[in-house]
């Protein structure tokens, strides 16, 4: 676990990333009784790599288990379809969450409708899980006239006010202080029993806003759950080049924010860790930082080719042996909660629905030219009106 | 009617609005118990408590970043940046986040944060307590920039800013925080954002200024008057949006324009004003529009009064304009 002293950062990035794999697991028993530092160095896990329980699952019923599994499958199928669409040149860009579905869905499932989501770049699935309409998600990707944000950002920047899903910018980590601010707002407004979920990537934990936000979260004791999807890569930069800390969760200690660290490919561990953190926040117990250890099995985005900078044999191990869906599927099958062929059937249903929405959204034209000038301010200034008139 | 200085006017506006609107929250470095290094928030902590008058850690990106989060949630945060020279750690939050939230969400997430910050030199503050950064923010789509020059305008404009739904950078002229005094109504009133004020009518030259330069412009106009030159002084009050109608009304009358600003000359807001005026009033202009500005140097310490426009430099520009 602890990197040897003098280890050269960045050497053999693939190997370094693999060394942080979840093989050094920490069963449920006692994890939450441990002190902060032990938790920050450990790894909470409820399912082993074969889907066998290694902790208390008495709280898990079929309905929740299937919600988690079906949610992961929805992301897997939707992402695959959208990547295909990108390769066909029908959308300009796409960023998928392949291999990270457990982190996305497990955390989403721990949120309540009144909670707020302040996402980074891999959490569109959190929005979909919480009821963001697939139509508006796809409309945003096409940037068409039905896009609630009127075609103003590149694909994968969805926005859904109805489900408290805040629209992200492309700027890494700027959203983390927003999450803390939303949480401060909840407390100030007297809206007890709510919390904010703020997300980030491992690369994002190197940015100034990460440190500023954790410091504010700690000082203000804001009802916020800060979640880092540590997929071990930031485009081509491996985790070892982001930080000399042994784990990312350790960083939270310095800010007085209680840390947790969980196997991000174990949807049950993710859910349980996030649920505990959210319950503490909603009850007035302050912030939590959660590192979810996972792996970016896909490329960074449709514009990236990871074979140029990393050992794809390592990726293959994560893809074939640590797939979060397979792990959960084994548990479901063992408990008789997923029948033979049911998963394939479900995937086909999801894909058909996605294709149907794509077909509809692809027909929708661009937003009207004049909309270019809307929403800069509540009311356009004379300058905007003049420019709008000149555009014609 | 009570006489107030600018600090008292800010304080009065904040107190009025915090009483009227419980969602209004003040935050920043030393704004709570201490009442701010310039005392602008003095007494608010006692009246409204630590929950609504928040002493924050020393991190401008965090002050603006969390203010954005609170505004998204529906509150009305009024962060203070202690000196505008220290706004740059929050520049990304202001430019890429605050100013773009309404637009990038298609209007779903407005972000009404009013950032108060003291600007300008003349207090022996050197590079880092003297800057006038308005251009950077006027050039940021989605942000309003308001720059009052006196207590009456400060209170009326700040109340307006706190009651509209767009983000604002509210620049306060720190050199005259206490020196500038006038009568300020006790109760509620607002001044329209985007409307200038003719502080001194005249016929021969239009002199445009804002913030701490308005008093310098007035001084120059008085000197010009003594020399038989009639100068009309415009206080822009609001820079984004700026009052083109009011400017043109004066320029079409005088045909001659001098612009005064403290910020560096090149790409200063004066340049935009010149472009806008000549596009619309070329046929009325009798002379090139001239500028009296800070220099394209970092703001100096010992020689700050050489750097800052003064009445004599402005008068020189007025004479040149007339002689052209
Ligand atoms: C401030 C900033 N710098 C650089 C970029 C370009 N960029 C986009 S994503 C990314 C890597 C992000 O890595 P990480 O935070 O680990 O998230 P992941 O992509 O792995 O989910 C970079 C460098 C950016 N968007 N914002
Ligand atoms: Mg990453």
């Amino acid at each position: 676990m602890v990197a040897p002293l003098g280890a050269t950062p960045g050497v053999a990035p693939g190997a370094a990333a693999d060394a942080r794999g979840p093989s050094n697991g920490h069963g449920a028993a006692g994890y939450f009784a441990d002190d902060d530092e032990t938790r920050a160095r450990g790894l909470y896990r409820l399912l082993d790599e074969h889907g066998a329980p290694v902790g208390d699952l008495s709280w898990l019923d079929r309905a929740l288990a299937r919600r988690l599994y079906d949610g992961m499958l929805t992301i897997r199928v939707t992402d695959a379809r959208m990547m295909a669409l990108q390769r066909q040149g029908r959308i300009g860009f796409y960023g998928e969450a392949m291999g990270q579905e457990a982190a996305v869905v497990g955390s989403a499932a721990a949120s309540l409708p009144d909670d707020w989501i302040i996402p980074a770049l891999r959490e569109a699935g959190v929005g979909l899980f919480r009821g963001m309409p697939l139509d508006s998600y796809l409309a945003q990707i096409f940037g068409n006239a039905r896009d609630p944000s009127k075609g103003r950002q590149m694909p994968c920047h969805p926005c859904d006010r109805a489900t408290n899903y805040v629209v992200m910018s492309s700027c890494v980590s700027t959203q983390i202080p927003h999450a803390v601010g939303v949480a401060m707002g909840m407390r100030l407004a007297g809206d007890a029993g709510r919390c904010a979920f703020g997300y980030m990537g491992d690369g994002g934990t190197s940015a100034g806003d990460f440190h500023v936000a954790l410091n504010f979260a700690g000082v203000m004791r804001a009802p916020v759950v800060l979640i880092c999807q540590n997929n071990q890569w930031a485009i081509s930069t491996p985790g070892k080049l982001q930080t000399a800390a042994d784990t990312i969760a350790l960083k939270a200690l310095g800010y007085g924010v209680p840390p947790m660290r969980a196997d991000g490919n174990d949807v049950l561990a993710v859910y349980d860790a996030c649920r505990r953190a959210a319950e503490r926040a909603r009850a007035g117990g302050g912030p939590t930082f959660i590192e979810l250890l996972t792996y970016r099995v896909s490329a960074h985005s449709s514009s990236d080719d990871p074979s140029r900078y990393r050992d794809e044999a390592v990726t293959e191990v994560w893809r074939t042996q640590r797939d979060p869906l397979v792990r959960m599927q084994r548990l479901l099958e063992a408990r008789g909660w997923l029948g033979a062929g049911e998963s394939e059937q479900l995937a086909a249903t999801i894909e058909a629905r996605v294709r149907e929405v794509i077909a509809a959204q692809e027909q929708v034209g661009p937003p009207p030219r004049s909309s270019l000038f809307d929403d800069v301010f509540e009311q356009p200034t004379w300058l905007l009106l003049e420019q709008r008139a000149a555009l014609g | 009617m009570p006489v107030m200085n600018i600090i008292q006017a800010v304080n009065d506006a904040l107190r009025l609005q915090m009483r009227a609107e419980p969602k209004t929250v003040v935050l920043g470095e030393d704004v709570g118990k201490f009442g701010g290094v310039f005392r602008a928030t003095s007494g608010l902590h006692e009246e409204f408590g630590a929950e609504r008058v928040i002493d924050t850690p020393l991190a401008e990106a965090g002050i603006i970043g969390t203010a954005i989060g609170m505004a998204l949630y529906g509150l009305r945060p009024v962060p203070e940046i202690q000196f505008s020279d220290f706004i740059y750690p929050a520049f990304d939050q202001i430019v890429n986040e605050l100013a773009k939230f309404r637009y990038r969400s298609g209007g779903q997430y407005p972000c009404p944060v009013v950032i108060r910050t003291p600007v300008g030199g003349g207090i022996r503050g050197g590079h880092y307590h003297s800057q006038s950064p308005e251009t950077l923010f006027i050039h940021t789509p989605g942000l309003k920039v308001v720059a009052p020059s006196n207590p009456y305008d400060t209170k009326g404009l700040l109340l307006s800013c706190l009651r509209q739904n767009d983000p604002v950078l509210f620049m306060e002229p720190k050199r005259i925080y206490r020196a500038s005094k006038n009568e300020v109504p006790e109760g509620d009133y607002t001044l329209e954002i985007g409307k200038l004020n003719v502080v001194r009518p005249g016929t021969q030259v239009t002199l445009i200024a804002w913030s701490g330069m308005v008093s310098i412009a007035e001084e120059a106009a008085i000197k010009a008057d003594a020399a038989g030159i009639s100068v009309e002084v415009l206080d822009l009050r609001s820079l984004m949006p700026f009052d083109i109608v009011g400017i043109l009304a004066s320029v079409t009358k005088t045909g001659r324009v001098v612009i005064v600003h403290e910020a560096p000359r090149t790409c200063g807001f004066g340049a935009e004003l010149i472009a806008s005026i000549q596009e619309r009033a070329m046929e009325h202009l009798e002379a090139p529009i001239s500028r009296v500005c800070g220099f394209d140097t970092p703001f100096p310490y010992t020689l700050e009064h050489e750097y800052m426009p003064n009445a004599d430099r402005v008068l020189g520009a007025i004479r040149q304009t007339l002689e052209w």
Side-chain angles (χ1 to χ4, degrees):
Chain A
M1 186 68 268
V2 179
L5 274 176
T8 316
V11 172
D18 193 39
R20 291 183 172 210
S23 54
N24 38 28
H26 185 313
Y31 179 84
F32 293 103
D34 278 337
D35 62 59
D36 281 350
E37 183 172 345
T38 310
R39 274 207 315 278
R41 290 180 184 279
L43 196 76
Y44 182 51
R45 179 186 263 187
L46 289 170
L47 290 180
D48 73 9
E49 294 192 3
H50 310 289
V54 293
D56 170 34
L57 290 183
S58 57
W59 48 269
L60 184 69
D61 61 13
R62 180 185 188 279
L64 175 60
R66 278 302 297 270
R67 240 161 55 83
L68 294 169
Y69 180 76
D70 295 6
M72 290 195 290
L73 193 62
T74 302
I75 299 176
R76 176 75 51 96
V77 171
T78 308
D79 277 358
R81 195 62 223 131
M82 299 316 291
M83 285 303 285
L85 224 59
Q86 198 280 333
R87 278 186 220 103
Q88 294 162 12
R90 290 159 68 190
I91 55 174
F93 170 92
Y94 198 75
E96 58 184 326
M98 200 200 311
Q100 300 179 221
E101 294 90 345
V104 173
V105 169
S107 58
S111 69
L112 295 178
D114 282 341
D115 294 337
W116 277 49
I117 304 299
I118 299 88
L121 69 169
R122 310 249 174 230
E123 285 85 21
V126 175
L128 291 172
F129 189 87
R130 287 167 51 87
M132 173 198 299
L134 187 61
D135 304 74
S136 72
Y137 176 63
L138 287 181
Q140 197 282 322
I141 289 168
F142 283 105
N144 67 24
R146 290 206 204 131
D147 169 11
S149 45
K150 306 181 191 174
R152 288 176 183 151
Q153 292 206 84
M154 59 188 290
C156 301
H157 292 63
C159 176
D160 192 47
R161 186 65 194 80
T163 56
N164 303 330
Y165 186 91
V166 175
V167 64
M168 65 168 241
S169 75
S170 305
C171 309
V172 163
S173 284
T174 46
Q175 78 285 357
I176 316 174
H178 305 167
V180 177
V182 166
M184 288 166 65
M186 288 170 167
R187 201 185 40 206
L188 266 159
D191 293 334
R194 296 180 180 190
C195 67
F197 283 62
Y199 289 88
M200 72 209 75
D202 48 305
T205 66
S206 300
D209 278 354
F210 166 83
H211 298 276
V212 161
L214 259 93
N215 191 46
F216 269 68
V219 171
M220 302 294 170
R221 289 185 59 77
V224 65
V225 183
L226 295 169
I227 300 172
C228 173
Q229 288 205 53
N230 178 5
N231 65 7
Q232 308 190 41
W233 292 93
I235 309 186
S236 74
T237 308
K240 284 279 181 208
L241 287 183
Q242 295 294 350
T243 179
D246 291 340
T247 72
I248 292 173
L250 278 168
K251 296 188 185 190
L253 278 179
Y255 297 109
V257 175
M260 295 182 190
R261 189 165 181 267
D263 182 342
N265 284 20
D266 172 354
V267 72
L268 300 180
V270 172
Y271 170 78
D272 193 45
C274 294
R275 183 189 55 79
R276 287 168 190 261
E279 280 173 5
R280 174 162 68 200
R282 291 185 202 114
T288 305
F289 179 81
I290 307 178
E291 175 186 351
L292 299 176
L293 186 65
T294 179
Y295 200 80
R296 199 194 75 209
V297 170
S298 66
H300 171 70
S301 72
S302 55
S303 319
D304 175 46
D305 171 13
S307 69
R308 293 177 54 196
Y309 54 76
R310 72 178 183 186
D311 180 359
E312 290 294 49
V314 175
T315 310
E316 209 43 27
V317 172
W318 282 86
R319 200 177 66 78
T320 57
Q321 293 168 33
R322 294 170 184 166
D323 187 319
L325 273 84
V326 171
R327 209 190 280 192
M328 190 58 182
Q329 193 172 336
R330 292 204 176 125
L331 179 85
L332 292 174
E333 284 166 358
R335 298 201 167 182
W337 290 346
L338 187 74
E342 217 181 320
S343 178
E344 291 73 10
Q345 228 171 36
L346 183 60
T349 309
I350 296 165
E351 187 176 330
R353 164 87 182 122
V354 173
R355 282 179 183 274
E356 188 186 312
V357 177
I358 289 171
Q361 291 300 335
E362 212 168 14
Q363 302 310 311
V364 180
R369 280 170 103 181
S370 65
S371 74
L372 189 57
F373 300 92
D374 297 342
D375 308 316
V376 179
F377 298 107
E378 187 173 43
Q379 299 296 332
T381 58
W382 66 267
L383 292 130
L384 292 165
L385 292 174
E386 198 179 81
Q387 290 161 31
R388 185 170 77 186
L391 181 68
Chain B
M1 217 185 286
V3 170
M4 289 187 193
N5 62 32
I6 294 177
I7 289 291
Q8 291 165 327
V10 168
N11 191 265
D12 197 34
L14 289 173
R15 178 176 284 104
L16 267 175
Q17 187 62 11
M18 290 186 82
R19 283 180 185 163
E21 168 53 90
K23 289 177 180 159
T24 308
V25 180
V26 165
L27 70 158
E29 293 154 15
D30 310 302
V31 300
K33 260 197 183 140
F34 182 51
V37 295
F38 289 102
R39 325 288 309 138
T41 55
S42 129
L44 300 181
H45 185 267
E46 286 84 337
E47 180 168 349
F48 302 104
E51 287 277 290
R52 289 180 67 198
V53 186
I54 307 169
D55 276 319
T56 66
L58 201 167
E60 287 73 16
I63 294 168
I64 303 302
T66 54
I68 289 171
M70 287 190 263
L72 295 175
Y73 191 69
L75 298 187
R76 293 290 184 151
V78 192
E80 174 179 298
I81 298 295
Q82 205 163 74
F83 288 82
S84 65
D85 313 68
F86 308 127
I87 205 167
Y88 305 109
F91 197 58
D92 189 33
Q93 285 290 346
I94 296 171
V95 172
N96 274 329
E97 302 297 327
L98 178 61
K100 293 179 175 57
F101 248 108
R102 179 189 288 279
Y103 195 71
R104 78 174 189 237
S105 66
Q108 295 182 75
Y109 285 104
C111 207
V113 174
V114 178
I115 304 171
R116 294 182 38 250
T117 191
V119 301
I123 61 150
R124 298 188 62 71
H127 299 333
Y128 305 114
H129 300 82
S130 309
Q131 296 171 40
S132 296
E134 63 265 25
T135 290
L136 300 170
F137 298 100
I138 299 167
H139 199 61
T140 297
L143 203 60
K144 290 180 179 168
V145 180
V146 174
S149 67
N150 64 72
Y152 174 80
D153 290 6
T154 297
K155 181 174 168 184
L157 286 168
L158 185 52
L159 282 170
S160 281
C161 291
L162 297 172
R163 291 167 187 179
Q164 53 85 63
N165 299 317
D166 292 309
V168 182
L169 183 75
F170 193 81
M171 305 187 347
E172 298 166 3
K174 75 170 92 70
R175 178 176 54 86
I176 52 169
Y177 252 157
R178 288 172 197 285
S180 173
K181 288 183 187 144
N182 58 12
E183 290 194 335
V184 177
E186 234 162 323
D188 208 287
Y189 67 95
T190 55
L191 295 176
E192 190 180 340
I193 298 167
K195 287 278 176 283
L196 62 69
N197 183 32
V198 181
V199 289
R200 187 185 169 90
T203 55
Q204 288 174 279
V205 177
T206 299
L207 188 54
I208 303 177
W210 55 91
S211 190
M213 285 296 106
V214 173
S215 52
I216 303 293
E218 282 185 270
E219 200 185 321
I222 290 166
K223 287 189 173 186
D225 193 51
I229 306 167
S230 170
V231 174
E232 179 149 293
V233 180
L234 308 184
D235 175 356
L236 284 191
R237 282 181 171 164
S238 163
L239 307 181
M240 177 51 70
F242 59 99
D243 185 356
I244 191 68
V245 175
I247 292 171
L248 292 179
S250 178
V251 171
T252 51
K253 185 172 67 180
T254 62
R256 298 174 197 273
V257 186
V258 175
I259 298 168
V260 191
H261 63 67
E262 211 176 309
R265 178 184 179 92
T266 304
C267 282
F269 188 54
E272 179 59 40
L273 292 174
I274 292 171
S276 299
I277 293 167
Q278 61 83 22
E279 278 166 0
R280 293 168 179 79
M282 192 66 195
E283 68 277 20
H284 297 279
L285 292 177
E286 305 286 347
I289 300 173
S290 72
R291 285 176 281 176
V292 182
C293 309
F295 300 112
D296 290 349
T297 66
F299 196 100
Y301 174 68
T302 304
L303 298 179
E304 71 173 335
H305 293 293
E306 302 300 321
Y307 175 95
M308 289 179 55
N310 57 38
D312 288 334
R313 267 170 72 196
V314 177
L315 187 60
I318 290 170
R319 286 188 194 281
Q320 268 184 3
T321 303
L322 277 167
E323 284 159 15
W324 195 81

